[in-house]
Amino acid sequence: MRRADGIALAIFAAIAVASPVRAERPVLAPVATIDAAPTRSLETAIFAGGCYWGVEGVFSHVKGVQLVKSGFAGGPRNRRVDYDMVSGGDTGFAEAVRVTYDPKQVSYATLLRIFFSVIADPTTLNYQGPDHGTQYRSALFPLNAEQAKAATAYLAQLDKAGLWRDPVVTRVERFTGFQDADAYHQDFMRKNPRHPYILRWDAPKLAAFKAMFPALYRDKPSA
């Protein structure tokens, strides 16, 4: 779904206010049985989980997260893309975020747990919420063998947990690079808290994170 402005945005706002539908149902995912051993003082992780506004917005409030960038991952290596190109759904890229975090404060497995508890539904194939297409698929892009082991094990653990009616379809994908989105898309939730899309789909995710993981929540978002 392309986020509009002007008259279309006003119409969307009216529908959002009138509709009882909100973000995906939060589910308390289990503690991971396998974690990724840190390899450096600051680690990086890549997540794709639908529109990157909300993914970035939630992760930026996690204690230990130093920086979150919205962008694109999953497409051919060295191919340059932008938002309009990826929105066509035929580039192979997904909207994604790059999370830089301190493993002494928050682990990769904890980020996985937050991601699947309040950000992304792992059972919806090629869509999250109102956004449909391969560019909105949920995917994990491990950056090393430790992350790959933890991500693969956690998806199997979630599938066996039976917390969702449908099977887990989130995939572990090969990392081929990450491209930052335009400045307009960075820190979107913080800069536009009253945007209709944020209010309807993303603010509930942040509220669920604060309620479900109070010890991990911080009020001031990272850069």
Side-chain angles (χ1 to χ4, degrees):
M1 176 178 171
R2 298 290 300 278
R3 273 79 74 188
D5 52 16
I7 295 176
L9 182 57
I11 294 173
F12 186 87
I15 295 173
V17 171
S19 173
V21 178
R22 289 297 183 266
E24 294 88 346
R25 177 176 63 93
V27 174
L28 184 60
V31 174
T33 56
I34 296 177
D35 203 346
T39 59
R40 58 191 68 189
S41 58
L42 284 181
E43 293 282 357
T44 303
I46 309 292
F47 299 86
C51 172
Y52 43 35
W53 292 350
V55 185
E56 178 193 5
V58 173
F59 276 136
S60 67
H61 283 272
V62 177
K63 290 180 180 178
V65 169
Q66 305 294 311
L67 178 68
V68 189
K69 283 288 186 180
S70 290
F72 312 104
R77 189 180 298 275
N78 298 325
R79 181 181 179 185
R80 301 300 301 174
V81 293
D82 57 26
Y83 174 76
D84 288 334
M85 294 170 64
V86 173
S87 293
D90 58 357
T91 64
F93 286 87
E95 291 196 14
V97 301
R98 183 179 65 229
V99 181
T100 303
Y101 63 99
D102 181 351
K104 293 181 180 179
Q105 298 184 59
V106 63
S107 71
Y108 181 67
T110 299
L111 294 177
L112 288 173
R113 189 184 187 205
I114 293 169
F115 181 68
F116 289 113
S117 292
V118 301
I119 297 176
D121 183 337
T123 70
T124 55
L125 183 63
N126 295 330
Y127 77 92
Q128 290 290 320
D131 301 317
H132 290 244
T134 58
Q135 70 273 31
Y136 297 114
R137 67 188 182 273
S138 60
L140 305 174
F141 298 91
L143 301 184
N144 54 49
E146 284 292 320
Q147 288 188 0
K149 178 179 67 175
T152 301
Y154 196 59
L155 289 178
Q157 184 180 344
L158 290 182
D159 208 26
K160 292 179 181 179
L163 297 175
W164 295 271
R165 181 182 59 186
D166 299 317
V168 170
V169 296
T170 301
R171 294 177 54 193
V172 173
E173 298 189 21
R174 182 170 62 94
F175 179 66
T176 57
F178 182 90
Q179 298 178 46
D180 289 358
D182 291 340
Y184 169 80
H185 293 284
Q186 307 297 340
D187 301 315
F188 194 90
M189 182 186 290
R190 178 178 63 81
K191 296 175 181 176
N192 303 275
R194 304 307 298 174
H195 189 288
Y197 186 98
I198 296 296
L199 289 173
R200 181 174 181 182
W201 299 105
D202 294 333
K205 296 179 180 181
L206 183 58
F209 168 56
K210 182 178 181 180
M212 295 170 69
F213 299 95
L216 295 171
Y217 174 84
R218 69 170 179 216
D219 188 57
K220 183 179 180 180
S222 62

